[in-house]
Amino acid sequence: MTDSGSPRDPSLPVEPSLPDAIAPESGAAPEPLDGVDPMDGVWDVVVVGAGPAGSSAAHAAAAHGRRVLLLDKAEHPRYKTCGGGIIGPSRDSLPRDFKIPFQDRVHAVTFALNGRYTRTRRSRRMLFGLVNRGEFDLRLVEAAQQAGAVLVTGVTVTGIEQQGGEDRRTVAVTLADGRSVQARAVVGADGSASRIGRHVGVTFDQIDLGLEAEIPVPEDVVREWAGRIHLDWGPLPGSYGWVFPKTDSGTLTVGVISARGDGERTKQYLADYIRRLGLSGFTPSVESGHLTRCRTEDSPLSRGRVLVAGDAAGLLEPWTREGISYALRSGRLAGEWAAQVAEAASPTEVRRQALNYAFAIKAGLGVEMRAGRVMLEAFERRPHLFHAAVCLVAPAWRAFARTTQGQTTFAQIMRQYAAARRLAAMASR
Ligand SMILES: Cc1cc2nc3c(=O)[nH]c(=O)nc-3n(C[C@H](O)[C@H](O)[C@H](O)COP(=O)(O)OP(=O)(O)OC[C@H]3O[C@@H](n4cnc5c(N)ncnc54)[C@H](O)[C@@H]3O)c2cc1C
């Protein structure tokens, strides 16, 4: 079966075009690598998309001794609309010896309820770190290469065909230039507008629109923000805003996220937020937007020899829309199970390995997503309860801090604390 169609959702605000960062959408064939044409032969694993999910998958499959080809339409470093918040579970899922290119380390959070009732909470221990995604993703790609994966950039995957008939052991991955690559297993990690996800039949029950501005500010303003973020529980149901300082590059990443469908009000929220923060006098270097999508609980995670991971699979924390740790964790699992799929000789064995992947995802991230949905539902109805709890109730602040540090999870909090369950139940009534 072949997929086709536009990779971009028409309602999606354009991601910034950075001619020097994004490789041309070339019809040209990729350059041979050291005289070897990557289009030749059959790869064990082809990974589509070299974001955190794809690089993780490529790293894991290569570490299992498989021949891995990692494809991306962009040339790294590339811009990605993202706050770049690296929470504990992200840090814990990185390849060994990976050095995170932190722009800042967060020790304090200023909370606001739609611009009011501001309160700053501090932690002696670092809560989480902030990165520029271009830099972070480049390092992840390099780590995958060091593990043995072969990277080809500037190639857009346009379709995928699982061979039927005699040879059911290969998948053909078609590129925009009409050529194709053969693989024993494919990992689709091509982001939230994923073509591979469409082929697999991934379905979503939550789609949000995130808008961001990268705002370069003078040194004295950067200093004010160093080590501190701002979180604003917003005026639209389930919405919130953030300021994530990228101190080393003198930039504040200011963003908002809200359910898709009311783009104008989301835009207005961002403009109001920037104004209220006293930042509207500074000209953003980048303004962009992107959709985030959460999978329905029964959405498929594979089809034949093709697995999906990260945003492509709709794996994202529903309340915070945190996705880097989901991408890293699911990417690694997808790489490990794709390594097994590549060895599978029969459709039954392929199915068994793909089911193992689905089980691993559902038992871990699936449980987390379920808890996140409960949190979001409660938060949508009573954001002020969340605000009061995190600002005024010490255990609630500690739970927030421990979650960002990776010492607990929303699911664990719901299991352990009757008060959290009561808060969620009360808020969603
Ligand atoms: C406004 C906003 C703020 C966010 N802030 C945070 C945050 O602070 N912390 C956090 O954890 N998460 C955050 N997220 C979520 C996070 O950005 C994503 O969940 C994460 O990037 C998912 O990683 P990925 O590898 O699955 O996909 P991506 O990072 O999107 O990578 C996909 C890759 O696939 C490539 N690709 C796409 N299509 C093709 C194709 N057809 N052929 C070849 N290559 C292709 C792309 O070029 C890209 O490199 C935010 C999201 C938004 C929208």
Side-chain angles (χ1 to χ4, degrees), residues 49 52-53 72-73 78 80 82-85 133 157 190 311 322-324:
D72 202 296
K73 64 181 180 183
R78 53 96 174 91
K80 163 78 182 82
C82 183
R133 280 292 303 274
V157 170
D190 47 339
D311 276 7
E322 187 276 331
I324 297 173

Side-chain angles (χ1 to χ4, degrees), residues 134-270:
E135 225 177 323
F136 179 71
D137 288 15
L138 173 63
R139 286 211 189 163
L140 282 171
V141 166
E142 287 168 353
Q145 288 178 286
Q146 274 156 23
V150 171
L151 172 75
V152 177
T153 55
V155 289
T156 299
V157 170
T158 53
I160 190 157
E161 198 171 338
Q162 307 221 28
Q163 318 286 3
E166 303 258 302
D167 183 8
R168 302 176 73 171
R169 292 193 58 185
T170 57
V171 179
V173 177
T174 315
L175 308 181
D177 63 9
R179 304 172 79 190
S180 71
V181 188
Q182 303 294 317
R184 298 263 182 241
V186 170
V187 176
D190 47 339
S192 75
S194 169
R195 279 178 186 238
I196 312 293
R198 238 176 291 155
H199 170 75
V200 165
V202 176
T203 53
F204 309 98
D205 58 9
Q206 183 186 328
I207 303 184
D208 297 295
L209 170 62
L211 299 177
E212 268 188 344
E214 304 286 354
I215 308 183
V217 290
E219 217 181 303
D220 56 322
V221 180
V222 173
R223 243 180 282 124
E224 264 175 50
W225 283 98
R228 178 173 65 96
I229 62 159
H230 193 281
L231 291 179
D232 181 71
W233 314 122
L236 309 169
S239 67
Y240 78 98
W242 61 88
V243 180
F244 283 2
K246 308 293 164 60
T247 309
D248 284 0
S249 49
T251 301
L252 302 178
T253 304
V254 185
V256 300
I257 196 152
S258 183
R260 180 176 73 163
D262 202 348
E264 280 313 308
R265 286 180 70 199
T266 310
K267 261 193 231 164
Q268 191 57 50
Y269 175 30
L270 179 60

Side-chain angles (χ1 to χ4, degrees), residues 23-65:
E25 192 79 12
S26 68
E31 290 293 312
L33 298 155
D34 298 332
V36 181
D37 187 338
M39 302 303 125
D40 280 349
V42 179
W43 291 86
D44 291 326
V45 179
V46 168
V47 179
V48 182
S55 292
S56 256
H59 188 282
H64 274 67

Side-chain angles (χ1 to χ4, degrees), residues 3 188-207 293-303 306-316 357 369:
D3 286 336
D190 47 339
S192 75
S194 169
R195 279 178 186 238
I196 312 293
R198 238 176 291 155
H199 170 75
V200 165
V202 176
T203 53
F204 309 98
D205 58 9
Q206 183 186 328
I207 303 184
R293 294 179 163 91
C294 293
R295 67 193 289 276
T296 49
E297 216 170 313
D298 59 354
S299 173
L301 288 153
S302 68
R303 176 172 169 185
V306 179
L307 312 181
V308 278
D311 276 7
L315 290 163
L316 194 84
Y357 171 60
M369 285 186 76

